[in-house]
Amino acid sequence: MEILGLGYVGLDVPDTEAWLAFGRDILGLDPGRAPDRDAYLPASETEGRGANGAVYFRVDDWSWRLALHPAAAPGLRYMGFEVAGPLELDAALAELEAAGFPARRGDAAECAARAVSGIGFTQDPGGHAIELFYGPLVTNGYRNSRGMEFLTGALGLGHINLFAADYARSADFYTRTLGFRLTDSYHVGPDQTVNFFHTNPRHHTVGIMQIAPFDGVHHLMLEVTELDMVGQAYDRVIAAGCRITASLSRHSNDRIVSFYVESPSGVEVEIGWGAITVGPDWTPKYRGPGDIWGHHGLTAESIEQTGGRA
Ligand SMILES: [Fe+2]
């Protein structure tokens, strides 16, 4: 099947108000239109709060891209991957079933809950909820209120990195069944690798970490269009006293200049600029150190802590 990109992400968070302030004031996201609100009610009037208690953010012309759902335990609630249309969604769900992964088409209420035209549901081998969808609600004339501009479009929302207890099964699912292609891998330690997969020109849409004996989410990456936007976000993080889990750096594989900050729910957010893109002629690479410079502070202990919460 062909996945066009990462469309949206939903996280479980114990404190939606803390995440609302973090997303708005630190990351520079804007309130999105909550799918369960009146379509004519400006998102700014509700600060992106849904009637269901969730908080919704937007970064581009899509009505929302990131949802924070109230929950006792933090973690990944769902990942939404975009497909081209209704025929492609039917075919994808049939492929999943044929590969042994239970999948079902969502009804009208489930489409409305995500503001999409069609949706289907399955799970990856790590138990992460995966939603395949087409036809997101978009609105014209979006401009970010804090001077940020996020690089989305054909590249999708960004990338998400997952811990996988059974790397081989997860990698097989994302490549053989969902159609992702291996971009490259880092060597992290004995029998430990971080592996990057693409499904459009973005260097990776999904990263799978063969590093710890559990499944969970490590970080969500959002890319901006100018280096200064990374620096300005870094300034906001420092001014607010947020925990920087990896200092400013350039990764050796995607060449992104980025930093990582711990969100109020523990999931890290990477804000970056300048990543390379890959084309159909790309072949997988294997690398040693993951950074050309920087990213100080990403210790085994911090990875373990984040994974434990996820
Ligand atoms: Fe990343």
Side-chain angles (χ1 to χ4, degrees):
M1 79 182 68
E2 184 179 1
I3 301 292
L4 301 181
L6 179 66
Y8 57 78
V9 171
L11 299 177
D12 281 330
V13 307
D15 188 343
T16 54
E17 288 301 311
W19 236 108
L20 176 59
F22 174 76
R24 182 190 59 206
D25 301 334
I26 308 299
L27 301 181
L29 314 179
D30 280 314
R33 189 185 82 79
D36 62 358
R37 294 280 193 183
D38 181 338
Y40 297 100
L41 189 66
S44 56
E45 280 192 20
T46 63
E47 284 286 282
R49 293 184 186 88
N52 59 1
V55 166
Y56 295 84
F57 284 115
R58 69 185 306 178
V59 300
D60 58 11
D61 60 350
W62 289 33
S63 64
W64 71 277
R65 288 280 203 171
L66 176 63
L68 299 312
H69 294 268
L76 178 62
R77 193 177 182 103
Y78 50 80
M79 293 175 279
F81 291 116
E82 187 180 15
V83 297
L87 299 182
E88 289 78 5
L89 178 58
D90 283 342
L93 297 176
E95 280 184 57
L96 283 160
E97 285 283 349
F101 296 98
R104 69 173 181 87
R105 184 110 187 204
D107 61 19
E110 289 168 321
C111 289
R114 299 286 187 265
V116 297
S117 305
I119 194 166
F121 302 92
T122 190
Q123 276 193 352
D124 78 5
H128 302 299
I130 289 181
E131 301 181 358
L132 303 178
F133 71 94
Y134 69 89
L137 175 67
V138 299
T139 58
N140 294 328
Y142 171 74
R143 291 184 75 87
N144 184 274
S145 66
R146 288 173 175 78
M148 301 286 275
E149 184 181 14
F150 293 90
L151 187 60
T152 55
L155 301 180
L157 172 61
H159 71 233
I160 191 161
N161 275 38
L162 306 169
F163 294 107
D166 187 336
Y167 170 71
R169 284 189 67 210
S170 287
D172 194 69
F173 172 79
Y174 281 93
T175 54
R176 194 185 308 275
T177 305
L178 292 195
F180 282 69
R181 295 174 66 186
L182 178 65
T183 312
D184 50 29
S185 304
Y186 292 158
H187 175 82
V188 178
D191 300 321
Q192 292 186 319
T193 56
V194 183
N195 309 274
F196 303 89
F197 299 89
H198 64 275
T199 192
N200 60 40
R202 192 184 290 284
H203 174 276
H204 60 286
T205 290
V206 170
I208 303 179
M209 306 172 81
Q210 183 182 25
I211 200 167
F214 49 77
D215 293 286
V217 56
H218 178 260
H219 74 267
L220 170 68
M221 189 285 297
L222 301 174
E223 187 170 358
V224 290
T225 59
E226 293 181 22
L227 177 60
D228 286 348
M229 296 171 189
V230 177
Q232 289 159 351
Y234 202 58
D235 281 350
R236 293 194 295 269
V237 163
I238 289 171
C242 298
R243 180 169 171 247
I244 296 168
T245 48
S247 64
L248 209 57
S249 149
R250 183 157 233 163
H251 276 313
S252 62
N253 62 342
D254 63 0
R255 302 292 177 119
I256 200 166
V257 176
S258 68
F259 70 91
Y260 293 63
V261 58
E262 186 179 65
S263 75
S265 63
V267 171
E268 295 181 27
V269 178
E270 177 183 12
I271 301 291
W273 164 84
I276 63 167
T277 54
V278 298
D281 58 345
W282 182 271
T283 53
K285 311 293 190 295
Y286 186 67
R287 297 175 190 277
D291 299 303
I292 298 173
W293 51 267
H295 277 170
H296 304 295
L298 189 62
T299 63
E301 289 72 25
S302 70
I303 291 169
E304 187 72 30
Q305 285 166 11
T306 304
R309 277 192 296 274

Short mmCIF file of all heavy atoms in Angstrom, two decimals, residues 159 161 196 204 219-221 251 254 256 258 260 270, ligand 1:
data_model
loop_
_atom_site.label_atom_id
_atom_site.label_comp_id
_atom_site.label_asym_id
_atom_site.label_seq_id
_atom_site.Cartn_x
_atom_site.Cartn_y
_atom_site.Cartn_z
N HIS A 159 7.87 13.67 11.79
CA HIS A 159 8.15 12.26 12.02
C HIS A 159 7.93 11.89 13.47
O HIS A 159 7.89 12.75 14.35
CB HIS A 159 9.53 11.85 11.50
CG HIS A 159 10.71 12.37 12.26
ND1 HIS A 159 11.74 13.06 11.67
CD2 HIS A 159 11.06 12.29 13.58
CE1 HIS A 159 12.65 13.37 12.57
NE2 HIS A 159 12.28 12.93 13.75
N ASN A 161 9.14 8.86 16.38
CA ASN A 161 10.06 7.77 16.68
C ASN A 161 9.50 6.90 17.80
O ASN A 161 9.07 7.42 18.82
CB ASN A 161 11.44 8.30 17.08
CG ASN A 161 12.32 8.58 15.87
OD1 ASN A 161 11.82 9.06 14.85
ND2 ASN A 161 13.60 8.30 15.98
N PHE A 196 15.34 4.21 10.46
CA PHE A 196 14.53 5.31 9.93
C PHE A 196 13.87 4.89 8.62
O PHE A 196 14.53 4.35 7.73
CB PHE A 196 15.42 6.53 9.72
CG PHE A 196 16.12 6.96 10.99
CD1 PHE A 196 17.36 6.43 11.32
CD2 PHE A 196 15.52 7.84 11.86
CE1 PHE A 196 18.00 6.80 12.50
CE2 PHE A 196 16.15 8.22 13.04
CZ PHE A 196 17.39 7.69 13.36
N HIS A 204 12.68 10.63 7.07
CA HIS A 204 11.92 9.56 7.74
C HIS A 204 10.63 10.10 8.31
O HIS A 204 10.57 11.24 8.77
CB HIS A 204 12.73 8.83 8.81
CG HIS A 204 13.25 9.67 9.93
ND1 HIS A 204 14.30 10.55 9.82
CD2 HIS A 204 12.85 9.75 11.23
CE1 HIS A 204 14.54 11.12 10.98
NE2 HIS A 204 13.68 10.66 11.87
N HIS A 219 9.69 10.39 20.50
CA HIS A 219 9.52 11.81 20.19
C HIS A 219 8.73 12.03 18.91
O HIS A 219 8.60 11.15 18.07
CB HIS A 219 10.87 12.53 20.12
CG HIS A 219 11.68 12.23 18.89
ND1 HIS A 219 12.63 11.23 18.83
CD2 HIS A 219 11.72 12.82 17.66
CE1 HIS A 219 13.20 11.23 17.64
NE2 HIS A 219 12.67 12.17 16.91
N LEU A 220 8.21 13.25 18.82
CA LEU A 220 7.53 13.75 17.63
C LEU A 220 8.36 14.91 17.10
O LEU A 220 8.74 15.80 17.87
CB LEU A 220 6.13 14.25 18.00
CG LEU A 220 5.36 15.01 16.91
CD1 LEU A 220 4.98 14.08 15.77
CD2 LEU A 220 4.10 15.66 17.50
N MET A 221 8.68 14.90 15.81
CA MET A 221 9.47 15.97 15.21
C MET A 221 8.59 16.86 14.33
O MET A 221 7.80 16.38 13.52
CB MET A 221 10.59 15.39 14.34
CG MET A 221 11.62 16.41 13.84
SD MET A 221 11.12 17.53 12.49
CE MET A 221 10.82 16.36 11.16
N HIS A 251 22.01 16.17 13.15
CA HIS A 251 22.05 14.72 12.99
C HIS A 251 22.89 14.35 11.76
O HIS A 251 22.88 15.08 10.75
CB HIS A 251 20.64 14.16 12.77
CG HIS A 251 19.87 13.91 14.03
ND1 HIS A 251 20.38 13.26 15.13
CD2 HIS A 251 18.59 14.19 14.34
CE1 HIS A 251 19.46 13.17 16.05
NE2 HIS A 251 18.36 13.73 15.63
N ASP A 254 19.78 12.65 8.66
CA ASP A 254 18.86 13.54 7.93
C ASP A 254 19.38 14.98 7.87
O ASP A 254 18.78 15.83 7.20
CB ASP A 254 17.44 13.50 8.51
CG ASP A 254 17.35 13.98 9.95
OD1 ASP A 254 18.39 14.36 10.52
OD2 ASP A 254 16.23 13.94 10.51
N ILE A 256 19.32 17.27 9.93
CA ILE A 256 18.47 18.28 10.51
C ILE A 256 19.21 18.97 11.66
O ILE A 256 19.97 18.34 12.39
CB ILE A 256 17.14 17.64 11.01
CG1 ILE A 256 16.06 18.71 11.16
CG2 ILE A 256 17.33 16.88 12.32
CD1 ILE A 256 14.66 18.11 11.31
N SER A 258 18.51 20.60 15.06
CA SER A 258 17.34 20.49 15.92
C SER A 258 17.74 20.41 17.38
O SER A 258 18.91 20.25 17.73
CB SER A 258 16.56 19.22 15.56
OG SER A 258 17.29 18.05 15.90
N TYR A 260 15.75 18.84 21.28
CA TYR A 260 14.64 18.06 21.84
C TYR A 260 14.26 18.65 23.19
O TYR A 260 15.12 18.96 24.00
CB TYR A 260 15.04 16.60 22.07
CG TYR A 260 15.33 15.78 20.82
CD1 TYR A 260 16.38 16.10 19.96
CD2 TYR A 260 14.55 14.66 20.53
CE1 TYR A 260 16.65 15.33 18.85
CE2 TYR A 260 14.83 13.87 19.41
CZ TYR A 260 15.87 14.22 18.58
OH TYR A 260 16.15 13.45 17.48
N GLU A 270 10.87 17.29 19.06
CA GLU A 270 12.05 17.76 18.35
C GLU A 270 11.60 18.88 17.40
O GLU A 270 10.65 18.70 16.64
CB GLU A 270 12.68 16.61 17.55
CG GLU A 270 13.89 17.02 16.71
CD GLU A 270 14.44 15.88 15.86
OE1 GLU A 270 13.76 14.83 15.73
OE2 GLU A 270 15.54 16.04 15.31
FE FE B 1 13.82 12.90 15.20
#
